């Protein structure tokens, strides 16, 4: 089975004799279906010629700052956005120390700092350098920040010593990298997702909206792509960049979101409704800006159509996952929505008091008729990967 189909791997190569093994790693990653771009540190180019990686990856190799430049100085950000994962192999002791410090003194460390994607390192160094308290301290901090550590392995080293510190062999690394991406559980599935708030217009200038930033929905879009899905993202107004491979449609109001979802849903297998859709909109819209007159004014509201319930009521409905944003009695309200809206699953989160919306971390409990699964508070990106794994399992069980 091709394990890395559609995956974009940014391979960072730092200064170590093990850099020669990374040439084989590029070949094996591509064999598993990944698209690979290589970024080398200056020291790495002294061990292996960039041309070797260029020939094996089929892409230009980035090393100097301006290699990634597109003329506006933002090329490094584009490169960071391009990747589904950054894998640094070999990761020298120096590179790991710089990563731990959050330094951005070359292209590779800058990319790591500018990325919210999965990062993994495959350390390679002399055994005493590996055992050194400084390196071990660096590794502990990197792990705590969610950076994956692949290896090192044990055995004979280039310096003649024997011990822990060898970079893992390329075939082992490919297996570990595939495992990090998950099982490709949504390979071939077409997933439709809503994210962000809606804006319900009052007049030429004003609207009703809510606190959703879109972070949770966008993280789910990225996680679904990593799991192999084709993703269509219908987004309310947010200040986020969509994952490079998601098809994005921008909408403003709940009505626009409803129309966009209904147009897209027949060609999708899974629908996740992460958007904070306004339940009500102003009954009337004034083209003129409403003038200030009385101390109080009445604003009549009318109910919006329920998008997720409408999708769940379709005769050929996809697998439908709703959300429940609650301030109290989370399970009771979430289970009520699961049943009333006819959903396959609901993701319930506590909102208010700085929880759920706007922030970078969240906790979630997934409910379905016969069960539930609680996911502890973590970054929305990690949470999204865990959610997609569970949604994927239930989707397959239902089809
Ligand atoms: O965007 P972030 O800042 O990262 O914040 C994430 C979040 C808190 C917005 C997200 O985790 C979340 O809870 N999203 C759903 C918010 C919401 O509208 O919940 P609800 O309990 O009011 O709605 C229940 C479900 O019905 C939701 O799936 C909602 O998308 C859907 N709905 C609601 C109203 C409507 N007219 N149509 C709908 O489809």
């Amino acid at each position: 089975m091709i394990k890395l189909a559609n995956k974009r791997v940014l391979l960072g190569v730092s200064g170590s004799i093990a850099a020669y093994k990374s040439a084989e790693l590029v070949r094996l990653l591509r064999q598993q279906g990944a698209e690979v771009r290589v970024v080398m540190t200056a020291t790495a180019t002294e061990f292996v010629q960039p041309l070797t990686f260029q020939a094996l990856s089929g892409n230009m190799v980035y090393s100097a700052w301006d290699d990634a430049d597109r003329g506006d100085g933002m090329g490094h950000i584009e490169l960071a956005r391009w990747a589904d994962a950054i894998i640094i192999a070999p990761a020298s002791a120096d590179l790991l120390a710089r990563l731990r410090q959050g330094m951005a003194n070359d292209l590779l460390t800058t990319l790591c700092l500018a990325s919210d994607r999965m990062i993994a390192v495959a350390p390679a160094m002399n055994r005493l350098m590996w055992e050194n308290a400084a390196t071990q301290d660096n590794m502990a901090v990197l792990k705590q920040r969610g950076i994956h550590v692949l290896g090192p392995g044990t055995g004979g080293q280039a310096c003649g010593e024997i011990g822990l510190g060898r970079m893992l062999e390329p075939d082992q690394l490919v297996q570990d990298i595939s495992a990090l991406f998950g099982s490709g559980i949504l390979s071939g599935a077409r997933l439709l997702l809503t994210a962000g708030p809606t804006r319900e217009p009052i007049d030429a200038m004003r609207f009703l909206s809510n606190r959703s930033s879109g972070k949770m929905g966008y993280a789910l879009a990225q996680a679904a792509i990593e799991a192999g899905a084709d993703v269509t993202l219908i987004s309310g107004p947010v200040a986020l960049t969509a994952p490079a491979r998601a098809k994005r449609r921008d909408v403003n109001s709940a009505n626009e979101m409803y129309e966009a979802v209904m147009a897209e849903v027949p060609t999708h297998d899974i629908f996740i409704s992460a958007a904070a859709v306004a339940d009500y909109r102003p009954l009337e819209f004034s083209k003129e800006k409403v003038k200030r007159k009385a101390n109080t004014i009445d604003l009549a509201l009318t109910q919006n159509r329920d998008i997720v319930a409408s999708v769940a009521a379709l005769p050929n409905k996809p697998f439908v996952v709703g959300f429940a944003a609650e301030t109290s009695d989370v399970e009771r309200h979430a289970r009520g929505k699961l049943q009333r809206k006819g959903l396959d699953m609901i993701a319930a989160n506590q909102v208010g008091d700085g929880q759920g919306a706007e922030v970078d971390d969240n906790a979630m409990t997934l409910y379905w008729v016969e069960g539930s699964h609680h996911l502890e508070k973590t970054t929305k990106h990690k949470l999204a990967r865990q959610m997609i794994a569970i949604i994927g399992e239930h989707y397959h069980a239902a089809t």
Side-chain angles (χ1 to χ4, degrees):
M1 185 172 103
I2 301 280
K3 293 180 183 153
L4 294 169
N6 284 335
K7 303 292 185 295
R8 291 172 170 176
V9 173
L10 195 69
L11 178 67
V13 182
S14 66
S16 155
I17 182 61
Y20 80 93
K21 291 189 190 174
S22 302
E24 174 67 354
L25 178 59
V26 173
R27 198 182 68 76
L28 294 178
L29 287 169
R30 289 192 73 196
Q31 206 175 57
Q32 288 301 323
E35 194 182 336
V36 182
R37 292 190 185 176
V38 178
V39 179
M40 300 177 77
T41 64
T43 325
T45 62
E46 291 174 22
F47 286 95
V48 182
Q49 285 289 317
L51 194 58
T52 307
F53 288 108
Q54 185 178 323
L56 289 166
S57 69
N59 284 311
M60 73 170 278
V61 171
Y62 306 86
S63 180
W65 258 106
D66 48 2
D67 284 349
D69 196 17
R70 313 168 303 180
D72 61 358
M74 288 296 130
H76 59 292
I77 303 289
E78 276 306 308
L79 197 51
R81 278 185 195 145
W82 171 86
D84 293 322
I86 300 178
I87 311 291
I88 305 179
S92 65
D94 173 71
L95 190 283
L96 293 167
R98 289 190 289 128
L99 212 54
R100 183 251 168 97
Q101 290 299 330
M103 292 180 80
N105 54 350
D106 63 7
L107 183 59
L108 181 53
T109 46
T110 305
L111 287 170
C112 293
L113 214 52
S115 175
D116 56 12
R117 305 292 149 82
M118 177 166 76
I119 299 180
V121 294
M125 66 199 75
N126 161 276
R127 71 175 178 88
L128 292 173
M129 290 170 80
W130 173 251
E131 284 165 16
N132 192 292
T135 304
Q136 288 305 310
D137 193 35
N138 292 338
M139 297 314 298
V141 172
L142 291 174
K143 278 186 196 165
Q144 194 198 345
R145 285 190 202 141
I147 291 184
H148 301 275
V149 180
L150 312 177
T154 189
Q157 304 197 313
C159 54
E161 295 189 18
I162 295 176
L164 203 57
R166 278 169 64 100
M167 185 172 92
L168 293 182
E169 293 304 317
D171 52 351
Q172 179 65 52
L173 281 175
V174 172
Q175 278 184 38
D176 291 356
I177 293 165
S178 305
L180 287 181
F181 272 113
S183 48
I185 193 154
L186 292 183
S187 267
R190 296 160 303 175
L191 187 142
L192 179 66
L193 185 86
T194 61
T198 62
R199 287 180 178 175
E200 309 304 319
I202 299 170
D203 67 16
M205 187 65 187
R206 304 173 177 106
F207 55 78
L208 295 175
S209 192
N210 60 65
R211 292 185 182 281
S212 171
S213 63
K215 287 177 187 170
M216 191 67 247
Y218 276 54
L220 282 163
Q222 175 62 31
I225 289 169
E226 286 172 14
D230 280 336
V231 172
T232 305
L233 174 62
I234 296 180
S235 177
V238 297
L240 299 175
T241 308
R245 269 167 308 143
K247 173 179 154 197
R248 172 172 168 173
R249 286 184 64 172
D250 288 321
V251 296
N252 277 302
S253 65
N255 268 337
E256 285 174 23
M257 190 172 274
Y258 177 92
E259 299 300 338
V261 167
M262 287 305 173
E264 291 285 353
V265 81
T267 54
H268 288 81
D269 308 302
I270 302 173
F271 175 54
I272 304 181
S273 185
V277 187
D279 286 318
Y280 292 91
R281 66 179 182 281
L283 187 59
E284 283 174 6
F285 167 72
S286 164
K287 277 190 177 170
E288 295 293 318
K289 186 169 168 241
V290 177
K291 295 289 175 215
R292 186 163 72 164
K293 286 185 206 135
N295 270 345
T296 58
I297 58 165
D298 292 325
L299 183 62
L301 301 177
T302 184
Q303 210 171 86
N304 281 323
R305 289 167 290 187
D306 192 310
I307 302 170
V308 75
S310 307
V311 171
L314 290 171
N316 288 325
K317 74 171 195 67
F319 186 82
V320 184
V321 181
F323 267 66
E326 308 296 343
T327 47
S328 63
D329 216 350
V330 176
E331 174 163 4
R332 189 169 63 82
H333 290 305
R335 286 204 174 276
K337 286 176 186 173
L338 177 75
Q339 200 234 329
R340 264 197 320 280
K341 297 185 188 226
L343 312 176
D344 294 297
M345 189 181 271
I346 195 156
N349 53 170
Q350 180 97 31
V351 294
D353 288 337
Q355 299 176 90
E358 294 178 303
V359 289
D360 291 330
D361 293 341
N362 205 2
M364 197 72 73
T365 307
L366 299 176
Y367 294 100
W368 55 98
V369 173
E370 322 81 40
S372 66
H373 191 123
H374 179 69
L375 298 168
E376 293 295 338
K377 186 171 176 179
T378 182
T379 67
K380 285 183 178 170
H381 283 279
K382 283 193 194 153
L383 188 65
R385 287 188 196 111
Q386 296 169 25
M387 289 172 71
I388 287 294
I390 297 169
I391 291 168
E393 269 176 37
H394 283 254
Y395 160 66
H396 287 296
T399 50

